[in-house]
Amino acid sequence: MSWRMQVTHSTSFQYESEVLASFNEARMTPINFSGQYLIQHRFKVSPDSTIFEYEDYFETQVKSFDVQSPHTSLLIVADSVVETHGPAPEPAHITWDVLLDPIFIDEFDEYLHHSSLVDYIEPGLNLRSQETPLAAVHFLNGIMREKITYAAGVTHVYSPASEAWSKGAGVCQDFTHASLSILREAGIPARYISGYLYTGDGNIGETVVGESHSWVEAWVGEWLPFDPTNGRPVAEDHIVVAKGRDYHDVSPLKGIFSGGASRKTDVIVSLTRLS
Amino acid sequence: MKVRLPLNPIDEYLVDGAPRAELAYLWETIAKVGRDGFVSRAKQRDLYLSMQGITFTLSGIERPLPVDLIPRVIEVQEWQHLEAGIKQRITALEAFLDDVYGEQHLFRDGIVPKALIQSSEHYHRAAHGIKPANGVHIHVAGVDLVRDQNGTLRVLEDNLRSPSGVSYVMENRRTMAHVVPELFNGYSIRSVDEYPERLIAALIAASPRGVSNPNIVVLTPGVHNSAHFEHAFLARRMGVELVEGRDLYCRNNKVYMRTTQGSEEIHVIYRRIDDDFLDPIHFKPDSLLGIPGVLNAARANNVSIANGVGNGVADDKALYTYVPRLIEYYLNQKAILPNVDSFDLQDPDVLHDVLSRLDELVVKPVAGSGGYGITIGPKATKEELAIVADEITLNPRNWVAQPLVALSTIPTVQEDGSLSPRHVDLRPFAVNDGKEVWVLPGGLTRVALVEGNVVVNSSQGGGSKDTWVLTDETIGERESIEIEETDPALDPLNLEIVPQEIGPEVLPPSRMRQQEEQQQQYHVNLEVCHNA
């Protein structure tokens, strides 16, 4: 089954005093791949600005822009219409031996290392005791919500996996980083996926408040996505925007500015199922 | 306890106490200057250098970079060999950078482990997709070479980011011509003054497409940088502005310079600041030295950044081992200049072997530069070696081990005016304009001023030598004018030769033969060379 969805991602910054110059990069454009097709995309910045687009190392569409007229607020709106397809069939089973092959390890090197955000955690569970890497991924996806409770405000955007793990609480980013840490420790290549999740009842034409979301892809013969925050597979209600090693590679908006301090940031993601 | 190096270095001037044939006339001139002469000339030199404002900061203290008054002399044939080797190496490393930040065929073909590249701290994913207008990443290179105990010149390190020292090459020549002009008598030497012209031509060639009359700047981190003198020197000699990050800004993916008459678009930035500080959007967000947006301005082909962003992956010490393979892979040629052997510590067997004989090896941190953090096995204490062994075991990727090389020596003026052999290395500079890799004849010879010090590096208190590349003329005219042979044992400067360190037995046979042939047709060109 396939869905058609509209997603509107608006980010607004309010500053205490005038900002004289600001330089930004947005990663908010859904990608095209076999499971997803981008039908329409609009990207607007206010104050008005010229947008420069490029594809980065991780094949994410990046919108880069600067604002050099004095401003006290900045509004960024990314509006997309996307067709998503149902979950891909599960990859054929591979055995643990495949993951020990030095050629394989070299090929997936960048998705096998810990990083500042995906740091080492003592998981207290042994993925290697599962029969296959695929079984290990299913096991992990089933158990993460017992280890971390979803709670906003406990962690922040640059919290490492270990922090959420020891606090036993966090948001989707923390579920993702912790899962990546455990998978990589077990020798399973794993990457960070950022995107959107539709959370409504599926009524066509009804707009619901959704969220920026993140989940995991693990390599078990092919890349297999799963959503540890919800403990379920990835399906039509997930929209993929960016892939990377951790949050640093995919952050939806990063920028610097000179002038007044930031007072308030609002992010609103709304999704409408069109068909 | 005095620890002696187990290898005997060769001396580049003297064989068995006598000067090499082409140096005999120079050696005679040196003798005429005499010990007292060198003491007073050294004073003249110091005065000259401080008047010219030629300084180098060592641990925060500004002082003149001492140019030793005895030059290094490179013969025509050896220079041709070096030049060809450097051109080959830079051409291969250019192809490597293009590949690694592009299609990455080398991984598919199994030439270099992907992990080696991806774990390099200088591999910048943000540089992917930046296509230099004329295809050049390495606009300027400095290749460090040493001559080993067998007389073979070997590459020690490639410097492809912001190699410094070229201003000293030019200033050393000028200083020598001013302070010891008579040493040039009888020698025809290739000029080093062409460098700024070559560099500006390469920068113009690197202009973004469609720009015919580019505005070019030299970007410096500021006056506190140890190489600031050179940044100012190059800007002045090229006739372009010397700027700091705050003088430039980006708007709509174009780079502008603030001037008293408003803004001016900049097309080429010869930057002497590290990648990490270049653009706070992609690298260190707290950098005040760089220009926010400059990376995407380069990506949009509105500005060219020289040297290219991410070049460090090609001069990483761990990649160094693979450079001969890269030359074969990209050029289908054998490397003309050999590396110093180095051991792959990521191989467990090699690691085990290296750890068992650390006391006879040199180990260096991969990320380090400037001679700090190098451990020289025979000179280290047991405690120091134990610490290094622990660190290597913990993270072999971060270390390189090499056999000890006895660096060649050249007689060097001491405080009392006498001569004493001191270890040297050589950093020739290459400029790539996209059509040709040009190598500045000579380069910076760095000399360890402390006796027995085998790390020669200007950030460790070394000095330098004027480096002469002889022309064909020197040889040609030498044949036409005969003079009397001089006494090879002539040594009024009391050259302190340490016999066990400089013996004729360390010369390879081929070199000995060449030596004999040249002595039979011994002539000296008496024409004074006005090269400076």
Side-chain angles (χ1 to χ4, degrees):
Chain A
M1 199 168 78
S2 68
W3 283 24
R4 182 172 289 204
M5 279 182 287
Q6 175 163 15
V7 54
T8 307
H9 180 175
S10 38
T11 308
S12 78
F13 296 93
Q14 308 286 328
Y15 305 102
E16 283 181 353
S17 57
E18 275 191 342
V19 166
L20 303 175
S22 126
F23 298 85
N24 306 276
E25 278 196 354
R27 285 170 168 77
M28 299 177 176
T29 313
I31 57 171
N32 278 309
F33 68 104
S34 59
Q36 178 175 298
Y37 183 67
L38 179 66
I39 294 167
Q40 188 185 307
H41 182 72
R42 279 178 307 188
F43 185 83
K44 262 192 75 68
V45 174
S46 167
D48 199 29
S49 171
T50 309
I51 313 295
F52 171 67
E53 298 180 37
Y54 72 93
E55 188 180 283
D56 74 8
Y57 173 80
F58 297 99
E59 298 177 356
T60 304
Q61 294 301 315
V62 183
K63 303 272 200 282
S64 151
F65 58 93
D66 55 75
V67 181
Q68 310 226 10
S69 50
H71 56 285
T72 51
S73 68
L74 176 66
L75 177 68
I76 299 146
V77 181
D79 192 28
S80 313
V81 176
V82 183
E83 200 167 83
T84 58
H85 306 291
E90 291 219 323
H93 283 243
I94 53 158
T95 57
W96 287 105
D97 314 350
V98 175
L99 302 184
L100 297 174
D101 179 349
I103 292 170
F104 168 86
I105 291 171
D106 190 53
E107 176 64 27
F108 288 94
D109 176 73
E110 62 190 343
Y111 297 113
L112 282 167
H113 289 288
H114 289 109
S115 67
S116 60
L117 292 178
V118 183
D119 58 347
Y120 175 76
I121 54 182
E122 183 60 60
L125 47 92
N126 185 7
L127 291 192
R128 287 276 187 173
S129 64
Q130 299 294 314
E131 201 177 334
T132 63
L134 180 62
V137 170
H138 285 310
F139 170 74
L140 182 69
N141 198 18
I143 207 167
M144 284 302 285
R145 299 200 315 160
E146 292 169 25
K147 302 289 183 182
I148 301 177
T149 306
Y150 190 93
V154 179
T155 55
H156 56 90
V157 68
Y158 292 122
S159 293
S162 59
E163 187 181 328
W165 193 259
S166 61
K167 287 178 173 166
V171 295
C172 59
Q173 183 179 323
D174 303 304
F175 280 85
T176 304
H177 282 150
S179 304
L180 294 176
S181 174
I182 297 166
L183 287 164
R184 291 178 189 176
E185 185 62 23
I188 301 174
R191 62 190 182 190
Y192 192 110
I193 310 297
S194 102
Y196 305 107
L197 176 65
Y198 173 87
T199 50
D201 298 326
N203 299 329
I204 294 186
E206 185 191 329
T207 300
V208 300
V209 174
E211 57 188 32
S212 267
H213 193 48
S214 70
W215 58 95
V216 177
E217 279 185 5
W219 201 91
V220 288
E222 285 169 46
W223 287 108
L224 173 70
F226 67 96
D227 184 344
T229 312
N230 296 300
R232 45 161 280 209
V234 164
E236 292 92 337
D237 48 1
H238 288 78
I239 297 171
V240 179
V241 170
K243 306 181 178 191
R245 293 164 296 174
D246 60 27
Y247 178 77
H248 285 307
D249 290 336
V250 303
S251 45
L253 189 84
K254 66 175 178 180
I256 59 168
F257 60 91
S258 65
S262 181
R263 192 175 49 141
K264 192 160 164 287
T265 308
D266 281 311
V267 180
I268 299 166
V269 175
S270 61
L271 292 110
T272 311
R273 185 174 169 196
L274 301 175
S275 67
Chain B
M1 186 184 74
K2 187 168 160 38
V3 184
R4 206 173 60 76
L5 298 181
L7 301 165
N8 296 322
I10 71 161
D11 191 81
E12 303 208 357
Y13 262 59
L14 302 174
V15 182
D16 218 1
R20 271 160 43 197
E22 71 279 8
L23 293 177
Y25 189 78
L26 175 63
W27 194 241
E28 206 183 322
T29 316
I30 288 169
K32 281 182 194 150
V33 174
R35 215 169 146 150
D36 294 344
F38 277 113
V39 172
S40 66
R41 301 298 177 94
K43 281 184 192 141
Q44 281 178 34
R45 172 201 59 197
D46 292 347
L47 191 65
Y48 180 81
L49 288 178
S50 58
M51 276 168 57
Q52 300 284 315
I54 302 164
T55 57
F56 198 94
T57 315
L58 173 69
S59 309
I61 301 158
E62 267 206 4
R63 45 176 218 133
L65 177 79
V67 52
D68 179 69
L69 298 176
I70 307 297
R72 173 190 227 154
V73 181
I74 301 174
E75 298 154 50
V76 177
Q77 274 189 335
E78 176 148 76
W79 177 252
Q80 283 167 349
H81 169 75
L82 268 180
E83 192 179 33
I86 291 164
K87 285 183 182 199
Q88 181 196 52
R89 205 164 165 103
I90 300 307
T91 307
L93 289 169
E94 277 284 7
F96 163 77
L97 282 169
D98 215 52
D99 193 16
V100 88
Y101 287 114
E103 311 265 310
Q104 302 196 328
H105 294 298
L106 80 167
F107 298 142
R108 190 199 55 202
D109 294 339
I111 304 303
V112 175
K114 207 171 177 178
L116 187 96
I117 303 299
Q118 292 185 333
S119 62
S120 165
E121 64 169 309
H122 300 297
Y123 176 56
H124 292 313
R125 288 161 178 82
H128 269 266
I130 297 179
K131 291 270 168 224
N134 66 338
V136 176
H137 298 83
I138 308 166
H139 304 80
V140 176
V143 179
D144 288 349
L145 299 143
V146 294
R147 192 190 298 281
D148 71 11
Q149 56 280 3
N150 300 316
T152 307
L153 280 162
R154 292 177 179 273
V155 177
L156 190 62
E157 195 170 292
D158 302 289
N159 295 282
L160 310 175
R161 284 169 276 165
S162 296
S164 61
V166 74
S167 56
Y168 299 114
V169 174
M170 285 173 277
E171 287 295 341
N172 284 353
R173 181 65 53 81
R174 191 197 293 260
T175 306
M176 291 288 283
H178 188 83
V179 178
V180 280
E182 64 267 59
L183 296 192
F184 293 85
N185 288 355
Y187 289 87
S188 173
I189 301 156
R190 294 188 57 187
S191 166
V192 294
D193 271 349
E194 210 184 327
Y195 184 85
E197 283 163 48
R198 290 285 188 159
L199 179 56
I200 191 100
L203 296 175
I204 291 169
S207 304
R209 280 181 285 281
V211 177
S212 52
N213 192 14
N215 288 322
I216 298 171
V217 293
V218 175
L219 175 63
T220 175
V223 292
H224 301 295
N225 186 268
S226 65
H228 185 262
F229 164 80
E230 177 159 305
H231 307 158
F233 176 95
L234 290 173
R236 192 174 67 241
R237 292 288 300 268
M238 292 194 291
V240 303
E241 292 284 336
L242 176 69
V243 301
E244 295 183 27
R246 60 171 180 255
D247 300 321
L248 303 179
Y249 68 93
C250 293
R251 183 194 285 266
N252 277 342
N253 270 342
K254 292 187 172 178
V255 182
Y256 298 90
M257 175 170 64
R258 296 176 223 272
T259 75
T260 48
Q261 279 92 40
S263 293
E264 201 177 342
E265 189 177 345
I266 298 302
H267 306 100
V268 182
I269 301 173
Y270 179 52
R271 50 80 178 238
R272 296 294 295 262
I273 70 177
D274 291 345
D275 286 351
D276 282 349
F277 297 95
L278 192 60
D279 185 340
I281 296 173
H282 290 94
F283 303 117
K284 282 185 199 296
D286 53 349
S287 168
L288 300 173
L289 302 175
I291 309 136
V294 73
L295 208 60
N296 284 347
R299 199 186 306 280
N301 250 304
N302 291 327
V303 74
S304 297
I305 300 172
N307 282 359
V309 180
N311 277 11
V313 69
D315 66 17
D316 184 302
K317 290 194 181 75
L319 184 78
Y320 164 86
T321 321
Y322 290 87
V323 174
R325 272 186 93 168
L326 296 178
I327 292 171
E328 279 179 39
Y329 177 62
Y330 290 113
L331 308 181
N332 201 16
Q333 295 170 2
K334 289 264 176 232
I336 295 169
L337 295 172
N339 275 5
V340 173
D341 298 332
S342 49
F343 307 111
D344 180 7
L345 298 179
Q346 295 185 79
D347 179 331
D349 293 338
V350 176
L351 177 65
H352 184 260
D353 172 59
V354 163
L355 289 174
S356 72
R357 53 192 192 95
L358 268 186
D359 58 343
E360 54 188 77
L361 300 173
V362 177
V363 286
K364 309 172 184 178
V366 167
S369 72
Y372 294 100
I374 294 177
T375 303
I376 295 157
K379 299 202 158 194
T381 63
K382 276 213 169 84
E383 291 74 25
E384 284 166 348
L385 289 177
I387 292 168
V388 172
D390 283 350
E391 295 199 15
I392 294 173
T393 312
L394 206 63
N395 210 336
R397 166 67 177 80
N398 291 351
W399 295 87
V400 161
Q402 293 176 329
L404 201 64
V405 174
L407 269 53
S408 59
T409 59
I410 298 179
T412 298
V413 179
Q414 303 304 299
E415 244 175 77
D416 64 358
S418 68
L419 298 182
S420 182
R422 288 291 180 268
H423 295 290
V424 293
D425 73 355
L426 176 64
R427 174 182 288 185
F429 291 89
V431 175
N432 187 1
D433 65 5
K435 294 202 171 79
E436 188 203 352
V437 177
W438 173 79
V439 189
L440 173 69
L444 186 67
T445 292
R446 295 180 298 182
V447 53
L449 294 183
V450 181
E451 190 183 356
N453 199 342
V454 288
V455 179
V456 279
N457 191 310
S458 43
S459 45
Q460 288 229 334
S464 62
K465 281 176 175 289
D466 189 15
T467 306
W468 296 1
V469 173
L470 300 182
T471 67
D472 284 325
E473 266 172 66
T474 310
I475 292 170
E477 297 188 22
R478 193 195 285 171
E479 284 169 3
S480 60
I481 307 165
E482 290 195 27
I483 64 147
E484 279 175 49
E485 281 212 16
T486 51
D487 176 8
L490 183 75
D491 186 20
L493 306 183
N494 301 336
L495 181 75
E496 298 161 14
I497 296 171
V498 187
Q500 72 272 29
E501 284 196 347
I502 311 162
E505 71 277 8
V506 296
L507 282 171
S510 64
R511 204 184 156 80
M512 293 290 282
R513 270 202 305 281
Q514 194 185 356
Q515 201 74 23
E516 283 158 13
E517 283 160 17
Q518 285 179 349
Q519 272 170 352
Q520 280 162 17
Q521 47 166 42
Y522 176 61
H523 310 287
V524 167
N525 178 5
L526 281 173
E527 195 183 273
V528 178
C529 170
H530 303 279
N531 69 292

